[in-house]
Amino acid sequence: MKILKNHIFLILCFFAFLIYLANKFSLPLPNWVYFYVNDLLCMPIVLGLSLAILRFIKKTESIYVPLGIILLMTAYYAFYFEWLMPQLHTRYTGDLIDVFLYYFGAILFFFFQKKLF
């Protein structure tokens, strides 16, 4: 479970949580923070948690998420949150910049997972 104790992972989660709280309490932050930062942080956090769970189940620290799985999970998130949910709920909006940020965060996770975790 060294992923869940990693300072980089904890900082990413902390920033995502702060942005969530700021939004919930209507605190003034620049729009780009509200609209884009959590999209960038989403995949590294989700993939990090997924890797931690996989390592816990398999009882080994030597497993890493392959690029194909990372891209597949990112495609799922992009499809679900940027195409499907906007059609089902008015609260959601589809944005190609968000899709780019999901993939950018996922690629960053891929390149840094072996160095950080």
Side-chain angles (χ1 to χ4, degrees):
M1 294 316 247
K2 80 178 188 180
I3 293 172
L4 302 179
K5 296 176 186 175
N6 182 285
H7 66 282
I8 304 267
F9 180 77
L10 293 174
I11 289 169
L12 295 177
C13 291
F14 179 72
F15 276 116
F17 183 68
L18 283 180
I19 293 169
Y20 171 78
L21 285 179
N23 191 17
K24 183 146 179 83
F25 294 111
S26 300
L27 299 177
L29 287 176
N31 283 339
W32 64 268
V33 172
Y34 282 127
F35 297 151
Y36 299 121
V37 175
N38 277 348
D39 295 320
L40 178 63
L41 300 176
C42 175
M43 293 316 297
I45 291 171
V46 168
L47 292 165
L49 284 172
S50 299
L51 181 57
I53 291 167
L54 184 62
R55 286 180 175 179
F56 177 76
I57 291 170
K58 293 289 190 177
K59 308 227 184 303
T60 182
E61 292 290 318
S62 63
I63 294 176
Y64 294 99
V65 183
L67 182 59
I69 299 298
I70 290 172
L71 295 176
L72 187 63
M73 287 181 69
T74 306
Y76 171 77
Y77 267 73
F79 169 78
Y80 185 78
F81 287 109
E82 302 304 322
W83 186 79
L84 183 62
M85 291 305 288
Q87 293 187 14
L88 300 176
H89 300 285
T90 57
R91 179 180 177 273
Y92 293 91
T93 57
D95 186 357
L96 283 178
I97 295 172
D98 292 350
V99 173
F100 170 77
L101 291 171
Y102 288 148
Y103 276 99
F104 187 69
I107 295 302
L108 287 176
F109 174 84
F110 174 73
F111 285 116
F112 290 107
Q113 71 176 323
K114 292 183 181 177
K115 293 177 184 174
L116 296 176
F117 308 129

